[in-house]
Amino acid sequence: MVFLAVGLSSAAAGFLQTVTGFGAATVLMLVLPYFFDMAASPALSSSICMGLAASLALRFRHAIRLRLVLLPSLIYTAVSILAIRLAAGADLRLLSIGFGVFLTALSVYFLFFGSKAALKSGRVSMVVCSAVSGVCAGLFSIGGPTMALYYLAVTERKEEYLGNIQFLFAVTYAAGLPQRVSSGAYTAALLPMTVLGIGAILAGRQLGLRVSERLDPERVKKLVFLYVGLTGILTLVRHLV
C-alpha cells in the first residue's frame, strides 16, 4: 500500500509542478504523513522533489539567469533553517491557519486584480518573497507559492520561469538534505522510497511537459494563481477540520 501511495502521489506531484512550476511538495505532504512521521515525511518529500527540480533545471538550463537565483537561494535557505530551529516552540496549528489565509488572499488578489496591480520585480520584492518562502518551507515544507509569484514577475518566457524557479528549488533542497541526514530525519531506510518516488515523479514530469507545451504564458499564470489559492484552502481545511 505504501509503495502504491508514494508512487501515485509522486507521479501527480511531478505533473503538477512541471505545469505550474511548483506544488510537488504540497501534493506529497498531503499523502506522506499518513505513512511516515513528521520528521521523515518532509525529508522524503524533499529528496523526491530534489530529483524533479534538478531534472527540470537541467532541461531548461539555457534559460537560467544566475542573478535571478543566487541571492534568493541564499536568503531562502538561511531563513528556512532559522524557521526550522524556531518552530520547536511555536503553535504550528495557528501558524498553518494563518499561512492558509495568506495564500488564499494572495490568490484572490492576483486573480482578480492582477491586471491592475502586479508584483514589482525589484530588490525588495526579491528579499520579501525569498524570506516568506523560506519561512513557509521551514515551518510547513511548502515554500513554492510566493517564489512562483516572484519569478512570474521577473521572467518573460515560460522557459525562463520554469528554469529559474526549478534551479532555486534544486539548490535549496540539496542544501537542506545534509541537515536532514545529520538530524536523523532522513535515513538509509528511506532510500527505496526515494528511488521509487523519483522514478514516479519523473514519469509525471513527462506528461506535464506535453501539457505545458500547449499552454501560453497567461494561462500558466492563471494556473499558478489558482493553485496558490487551492494550497491555501487545503491548508485551512487540514488544520480546521
Side-chain angles (χ1 to χ4, degrees):
M1 182 64 181
V2 62
F3 286 95
L4 181 62
V6 171
L8 291 178
S9 60
S10 295
F15 172 79
L16 180 64
Q17 181 149 319
T18 302
V19 173
T20 66
F22 73 104
T26 306
V27 173
L28 288 172
M29 287 302 292
L30 290 173
V31 175
L32 295 182
Y34 288 99
F35 301 96
F36 304 93
D37 61 39
M38 284 308 295
S41 293
L44 180 57
S45 172
S46 296
S47 63
I48 294 172
C49 291
M50 182 172 65
L52 172 66
S55 72
L56 286 171
L58 183 63
R59 180 181 178 87
F60 298 108
R61 61 189 179 279
H62 300 300
I64 295 172
R65 303 291 178 264
L66 291 181
R67 63 180 177 82
L68 295 181
V69 292
L70 290 182
L71 189 54
S73 295
L74 290 173
I75 296 172
Y76 184 112
T77 302
V79 174
S80 65
I81 291 173
L82 179 62
I84 290 171
R85 293 178 179 175
L86 295 177
D91 186 342
L92 290 183
R93 181 177 181 274
L94 185 60
L95 288 173
S96 298
I97 292 171
F99 177 57
V101 171
F102 167 71
L103 290 183
T104 304
L106 204 62
S107 172
V108 170
Y109 175 78
F110 279 100
L111 280 171
F112 292 97
F113 303 103
S115 60
K116 297 180 180 180
L119 185 69
K120 294 182 179 179
S121 58
R123 182 64 60 89
V124 174
S125 296
M126 181 272 291
V127 172
V128 171
C129 288
S130 300
V132 170
S133 290
V135 170
C136 295
L139 295 178
F140 315 109
S141 296
I142 302 173
T146 44
M147 286 314 303
L149 296 178
Y150 171 71
Y151 281 114
L152 283 175
V154 299
T155 58
E156 297 180 356
R157 296 182 297 114
K158 181 171 57 181
E159 292 77 11
E160 280 185 303
Y161 166 70
L162 286 173
N164 286 283
I165 195 171
Q166 299 310 315
F167 183 82
L168 177 136
F169 288 153
V171 169
T172 52
Y173 281 135
L177 187 58
Q179 184 178 355
R180 295 187 188 279
V181 172
S182 63
S183 68
Y186 188 89
T187 65
L190 294 177
L191 280 174
M193 289 297 172
T194 301
V195 173
L196 170 65
I198 290 176
I201 208 169
L202 292 179
R205 164 189 175 270
Q206 289 305 110
L207 180 58
L209 285 171
R210 293 183 182 180
V211 172
S212 180
E213 289 174 355
R214 298 182 175 90
L215 297 177
D216 60 75
E218 287 303 314
R219 187 166 295 181
V220 171
K221 286 185 180 181
K222 289 182 180 180
L223 285 172
V224 170
F225 297 148
L226 283 170
Y227 192 65
V228 168
L230 179 60
T231 302
I233 292 170
L234 289 174
T235 301
L236 284 171
V237 170
R238 182 177 179 184
H239 292 90
L240 286 176
V241 175

